[in-house]
């Protein structure tokens, strides 16, 4: 009896092992990993895409705030250096004037206790009187000029001190703004990367395809509106140089806060492209929108900058045929894209 039971147990065990082996080697026989969730639907991926884009948009807005604060800090640092040099020059001038005043006081002391006017009246020789009268007049003018110079130089020193103090306050304020913006950039990028890390490779690829589909639809709708029907302007000489620079950067990585030559953010690319063309423009997309001359979309020409989103947080360079070159976002490279694939705020022209 015991022998039969042992035999049956051995058969059951052997059968289980064989079934296990078959399930591994025979196609179509597999077991799902209960920890591996079902693939997300396109609708869910679209929701993920919206959230990822929202986070990257916030990161880009914070990047432009960082760039603005950094640019202003640089200007203020240069201004502080200029003020410091002016203070040194004014202090040297003050030292010379004080030395002259001291020499004048010593000369008057050696001349006796009577004022120059009283000594002049005591002259008995008329010729000597008139000769000395001219000397006294010149002395008075020199003294008056010396006192005026001393007062002016002192006012300069006081003004420089006040200006330096104001610049230091602005510098510290912008340093804080820059630090806060940097934290926001890193936080938003970390959130976006964490969200993307939860997707499997095939889901990431499908997410990219959904993004491309959305961009194609937006571009087709924009072109279909007829907005470019009358747009046929040619690039200026500087515009062609800017386009040539920007398109040479295609394939280089996006990096927030970067302005080349190895990596770029969106406004770093456009500002450096126009600088290479011989025209300096503001560093950030917001300042490019605020300071540069605006043109209607119907009148835009290659080399113009298209500003995107209501907060002017993104910028690309128009290269013609409804296309821009731009640095999209972290994880992407400088590339060509449809000019109407994003929400257009307006167009500016650096060389108008």
């Amino acid at each position: 009896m015991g022998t039969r039971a042992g035999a049956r147990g051995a058969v059951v065990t052997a059968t289980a092992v064989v079934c296990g082996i078959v399930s591994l080697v025979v196609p179509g026989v597999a077991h799902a990993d209960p920890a591996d969730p079902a693939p997300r639907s396109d609708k869910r991926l679209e929701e993920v895409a919206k959230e990822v884009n929202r986070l990257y948009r916030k990161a880009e807005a914070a990047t432009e705030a960082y760039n603005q604060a950094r640019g202003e800090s640089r200007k203020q640092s240069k201004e502080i250096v200029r003020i410091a040099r002016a203070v040194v020059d004014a202090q040297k001038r003050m030292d010379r004037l004080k030395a002259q005043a001291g020499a004048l006081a010593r000369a008057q002391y050696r001349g006796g206790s009577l004022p120059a006017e009283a000594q002049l009246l005591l002259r008995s020789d008329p010729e000597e009187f008139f000769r000395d009268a001219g000397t006294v007049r010149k002395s008075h003018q020199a003294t008056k000029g010396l006192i005026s110079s001393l007062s002016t130089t002192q006012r300069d020193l006081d003004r420089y001190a006040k200006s330096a103090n104001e610049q230091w306050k602005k510098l510290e304020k912008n340093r804080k703004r820059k630090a806060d913006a940097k934290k926001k950039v890193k936080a938003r990028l970390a959130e976006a990367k964490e969200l993307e890390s939860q997707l499997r490779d095939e889901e990431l690829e499908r997410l990219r395809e959904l993004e491309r589909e959305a961009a194609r639809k937006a571009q087709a709708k924009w072109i279909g509106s007829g907005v470019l029907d009358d747009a046929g302007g040619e690039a200026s000489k500087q515009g062609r140089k800017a386009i040539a620079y920007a398109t040479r950067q295609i394939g280089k990585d996006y990096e927030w806060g970067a302005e080349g030559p190895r990596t770029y953010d969106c406004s770093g690319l456009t500002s450096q492209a126009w600088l290479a063309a011989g025209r300096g423009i503001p560093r950030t997309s917001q300042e490019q929108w605020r300071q540069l001359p605006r043109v209607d979309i119907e009148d835009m020409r290659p080399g113009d900058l298209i500003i995107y989103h209501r907060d002017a947080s993104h910028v690309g360079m128009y290269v013609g045929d409804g296309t821009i070159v731009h640095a999209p976002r972290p994880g992407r490279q400088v590339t060509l894209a449809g000019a109407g694939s994003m929400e257009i705020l307006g167009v500016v022209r650096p060389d108008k």
Side-chain angles (χ1 to χ4, degrees):
M1 189 71 176
T3 302
R4 291 180 180 176
R8 284 197 299 271
V11 171
V12 171
T13 302
T15 302
V17 170
V18 171
C19 289
I21 294 173
V22 170
S23 70
L24 292 175
V25 298
V26 176
V29 181
H31 297 282
D33 183 353
D36 190 14
R40 293 170 176 81
S41 65
D42 280 0
K43 183 177 181 181
R44 175 56 185 147
L45 285 176
E46 287 174 355
E47 292 173 355
V48 171
K50 288 181 181 179
E51 180 62 14
V52 168
N53 287 332
R54 185 187 71 82
L55 291 169
Y56 278 124
R57 281 272 315 280
K58 285 184 174 294
E60 191 165 43
T63 295
E64 293 302 276
Y66 171 87
N67 290 334
Q68 180 69 19
R70 182 174 62 175
E72 290 178 1
S73 293
R74 286 174 177 172
K75 290 180 182 178
Q76 283 143 11
S77 295
K78 290 180 180 179
E79 180 63 14
I80 288 170
V81 170
R82 187 195 69 78
I83 292 171
R85 289 173 178 167
V87 167
V88 169
D89 292 340
Q91 190 59 58
K92 288 180 179 178
R93 188 164 67 249
M94 177 65 82
D95 292 342
R96 288 195 301 270
L97 291 171
K98 286 183 176 179
Q100 292 175 18
L104 187 62
R106 288 192 296 274
Q108 186 175 2
Y109 175 78
R110 286 194 300 270
S113 58
L114 288 176
E117 294 87 343
Q119 295 180 32
L120 180 62
L121 291 174
L122 295 176
R123 293 286 191 269
S124 57
D125 186 348
E127 291 184 2
E128 186 178 355
F129 174 87
F130 285 111
R131 185 181 65 247
D132 290 348
T135 302
V136 170
R137 185 172 62 255
K138 291 179 180 178
S139 176
H140 279 178
Q141 290 174 346
T143 301
K144 185 178 180 180
L146 178 60
I147 293 172
S148 176
S149 295
L150 280 166
S151 299
T152 299
T153 303
Q154 186 59 58
R155 284 196 298 271
D156 287 344
L157 284 169
D158 292 342
R159 187 177 72 254
Y160 291 145
K162 181 180 179 180
S163 180
N165 184 54
E166 291 173 352
Q167 291 299 328
W168 273 114
K169 287 181 179 178
K170 290 180 181 179
L171 182 60
E172 289 304 312
K173 182 179 179 181
N174 280 315
R175 281 175 177 168
K176 185 177 183 303
R177 281 176 53 206
K178 187 171 68 172
D180 290 344
K182 187 174 183 178
K183 288 180 182 178
K184 288 181 181 178
V185 171
K186 290 187 173 182
R188 297 297 176 267
L189 291 180
E191 289 180 61
K193 289 177 181 178
E194 172 61 24
L195 192 56
E196 288 180 319
S197 71
Q198 298 172 14
L199 301 177
R200 294 181 293 191
D201 290 344
E202 61 270 24
E203 290 178 325
L204 283 171
E205 181 54 38
R206 180 56 183 159
L207 186 64
R208 291 291 295 271
E209 179 56 33
L210 289 173
E211 290 176 351
R212 289 190 287 266
E213 286 178 8
R216 284 194 293 267
K217 287 180 180 178
Q219 175 74 356
K221 182 178 180 181
W222 184 67
I223 294 292
S225 69
V227 68
L228 295 181
D229 289 352
D230 298 325
E234 295 184 359
S236 64
K237 183 178 180 180
Q238 282 186 313
R240 289 194 295 272
K241 289 181 179 179
I243 292 170
Y245 179 97
T247 52
R248 283 198 301 271
Q249 313 314 310
I250 289 175
K252 294 186 178 181
D253 288 338
Y254 178 105
E255 182 182 2
W256 71 271
E259 47 192 340
R262 292 186 297 274
T263 58
Y264 295 88
D265 63 19
C266 67
S267 57
L269 177 65
T270 54
S271 60
Q272 288 301 305
W274 271 100
L275 184 62
R279 184 176 290 268
I281 64 174
R283 169 63 176 87
T284 68
S285 57
Q286 286 96 342
E287 288 303 299
Q288 290 169 6
W289 173 244
R290 190 175 70 86
Q291 295 186 33
L292 297 178
R294 300 177 185 179
V295 296
D296 292 334
I297 293 179
E298 294 83 357
D299 298 326
M300 71 179 176
R301 66 190 187 194
D304 289 346
L305 304 182
I306 302 182
I307 309 298
Y308 292 95
H309 311 306
R310 295 180 182 180
D311 57 358
S313 59
H314 190 72
V315 60
M317 180 180 294
Y318 187 60
V319 297
D321 296 325
T323 304
I324 60 167
V325 56
H326 72 144
R329 65 169 175 80
R332 305 290 169 82
Q333 291 73 41
V334 176
T335 188
L336 296 173
S341 59
M342 295 171 284
E343 178 191 13
I344 295 176
L345 178 62
V347 181
V348 295
R349 179 166 295 165
D351 59 343
K352 186 174 181 180

